[in-house]
Amino acid sequence: MKIGIPREIKNNENRVGMTPAGVFSLKKNNHTVYVQSNAGEGSGFLDKDYSDVGAIILSTIEEVYDASEMIVKVKEPIASEYDLIKENQILFTYFHFASSEELTKAMIRQKAICIAYETVEDEDGSLPLLTPMSEVAGRMAIQQGAKYLEKPIKGRGILLGGVPGVAPGKVLILGAGVVGVQAAKMAAGLGASVTVMDVNMKRLRYVNDVLPNHVVTAFSNEYSIRQHIKTHDLIIGGVLLKGGKAPKLITRDMLKEMKPGTVIVDVAVDQGGCFETTRPTTHENPTYIIDDVVHYCVANMPGAVPYTSTLALTNVTLNYILKIANLGWREACNRDKTLGKGLNIVKGEIVYEELVGIFDL
């Protein structure tokens, strides 16, 4: 198979879809790999690193799309890429279709084979290709939240860990999944006072078992959320509905209940966000303020730490890329039901149940 690795062109996206080690493995399986010039530069991989293991370096993104049967990316194609995608071309990347009607209709129109990292699902319900980026984003949420709590950036002026004689900051985490657990670990490590909320008692019991005693759990409902947001300094939104839009757990009117300078970080922004006032931001302009509440809603948080993120992602995607390349997408998805769950749009038709009806399609 001919596999293409284009340079990511979304704002401040420095990750790349494959490392030189991945190219090496594909070449050993007799596949051809095209890499756009400087595609790996943001993650610390030079063109020479790729060419040394057998990749063919192409100058432009148009050449990569034109030469390839499968495109391996990190983020969803943006508008300037839509017309580069060919009928029956395989795209393997994060899509998050539920948050973009434009992207969904474009991929239907192009009649491509769209396999989404975020819906590849194991038998136990876990999402192996979403997990590493959720781990990165969960940890980053605290790192970024702590920074934006500083007064010069319009935060409350709180040091999360406190100091002797001064109480630590209070962190509220909505969702006890991968993002929530990783965020809680980081916040607890800084010495913050941490509350994790969820509707799943099994997840709350897990958090209670594995995290330190100063991480407490609470069952999530609207009344309880309204009470907690009044007293917390940093609020992390980390809820996920597989393939669907995230629920709006914090509404516009709730912002007035928060202390001025409270920071809210919406890690669910890729799936539409779990705060009513969420709108996607970039690493160039990461925050905005509504009702004196600082919103951090960067849609590609792991892109700020591309070396770590690229390695973590390709650790889990490469085996699936090899299956698709070796067997073809249809046979690979038939043999591996986990991979099969990643099929979202095939030749102009939506084939992922959770997407049906979201945009009246």
Side-chain angles (χ1 to χ4, degrees), residues 8-63:
E8 299 292 327
I9 54 178
K10 190 167 184 172
N11 183 289
N12 273 275
E13 181 50 71
N14 293 299
R15 290 171 290 179
V16 64
M18 191 177 298
T19 61
V23 174
F24 181 82
S25 294
L26 285 165
K27 288 295 294 180
K28 283 196 71 173
N29 282 262
N30 299 314
H31 303 295
T32 302
V33 184
Y34 300 102
V35 177
Q36 185 182 347
S37 182
N38 296 323
E41 186 178 36
S43 295
F45 303 116
L46 304 179
D47 287 351
K48 185 177 185 302
D49 298 327
Y50 288 103
S51 60
D52 283 349
V53 291
I56 298 169
I57 307 298
L58 298 178
S59 299
T60 67
I61 193 169
E62 290 83 5
E63 290 176 291

Side-chain angles (χ1 to χ4, degrees), residues 278-309:
T278 289
R279 65 172 186 264
T281 61
T282 67
H283 291 293
E284 271 184 350
N285 297 292
T287 62
Y288 55 93
I289 297 174
I290 299 176
D291 292 340
D292 294 322
V293 173
V294 180
H295 293 59
Y296 179 96
C297 306
V298 175
N300 62 327
M301 288 175 65
V305 286
Y307 180 77
T308 298
S309 298

